[in-house]
């Protein structure tokens, strides 16, 4: 009996893919609620920023979040199906022409703005 390995892998991965994550693309402003475990305590940290890149698909889908706080830029790379992500909210839909907006790394302040598409109600 021949076993189709890829069909078996797809079946196992389908049980691990999260369905509660909204659709978002690069250029969108999102807020990620991330669970951080420190010793015996756990807390939820909110990170809000612009999505620079969305890559992959299925179980391997990842995105890079860029935020600016007090003039200091930081980037976070997340796996979309990570169980430590409690919730992702799409704040603003951005209008960009590229999938990977790496040119945002050189911009600060007003020049780092992205044209807005549709605003959502999340606060």
């Amino acid at each position: 009996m021949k076993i189709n390995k890829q069909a078996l892998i797809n079946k196992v991965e389908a049980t691990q893919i999260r369905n509660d994550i909204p659709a978002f693309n690069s250029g969108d402003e999102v807020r990620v609620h991330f669970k951080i475990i420190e010793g015996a305590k756990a807390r939820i940290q909110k990170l809000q920023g612009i999505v620079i890149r969305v890559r992959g698909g299925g179980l391997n889908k990842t995105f890079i979040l860029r935020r600016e706080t007090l003039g200091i830029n930081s980037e976070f790379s997340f796996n979309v199906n990570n169980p430590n992500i409690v919730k992702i909210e799409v704040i603003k839909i951005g209008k960009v022409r590229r999938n990977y907006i790496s040119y945002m790394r050189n911009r600060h302040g007003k020049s780092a703005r992205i044209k807005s598409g549709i605003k959502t109600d999340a606060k």
Side-chain angles (χ1 to χ4, degrees):
M1 181 165 109
K2 190 172 182 179
I3 298 172
N4 188 350
K5 290 180 185 177
Q6 191 60 41
L8 186 62
I9 290 170
N10 291 342
K11 198 172 202 179
V12 172
E13 283 185 356
T15 62
Q16 298 173 355
I17 292 176
R18 295 177 59 170
N19 298 324
D20 60 336
I21 304 297
F24 58 90
N25 292 314
S26 59
D28 295 351
E29 187 172 347
V30 296
R31 184 180 298 136
V32 179
H33 299 255
F34 193 71
K35 187 190 301 182
I36 295 176
I37 300 167
E38 298 170 336
K41 295 180 182 178
R43 64 183 174 90
I44 294 174
Q45 183 170 353
K46 298 174 195 167
L47 301 170
Q48 183 173 339
I50 296 172
V51 177
I52 289 187
R53 176 198 281 180
V54 179
R55 178 183 231 184
L59 198 60
N60 299 321
K61 188 173 183 182
T62 60
F63 67 98
I64 298 174
L65 183 76
R66 180 176 179 78
R67 68 182 278 197
E68 182 176 346
T69 336
L70 301 172
I72 299 170
N73 295 310
S74 53
E75 292 185 6
F76 302 93
S77 181
F78 290 105
N79 189 336
V80 173
N81 295 299
N82 189 343
N84 289 332
I85 292 179
V86 178
K87 179 169 63 169
I88 296 178
E89 299 175 57
V90 179
I91 306 299
K92 227 189 286 185
I93 295 176
K95 188 177 176 184
V96 293
R97 292 178 155 192
R98 297 184 183 187
N99 187 31
Y100 181 31
I101 49 175
S102 60
Y103 60 85
M104 293 298 289
R105 290 183 171 145
N106 300 327
R107 300 192 179 189
H108 305 283
K110 275 189 169 182
S111 68
R113 288 182 294 185
I114 292 178
K115 287 186 180 179
S116 179
I118 303 167
K119 280 190 180 178
T120 58
D121 236 15
K123 287 187 178 181

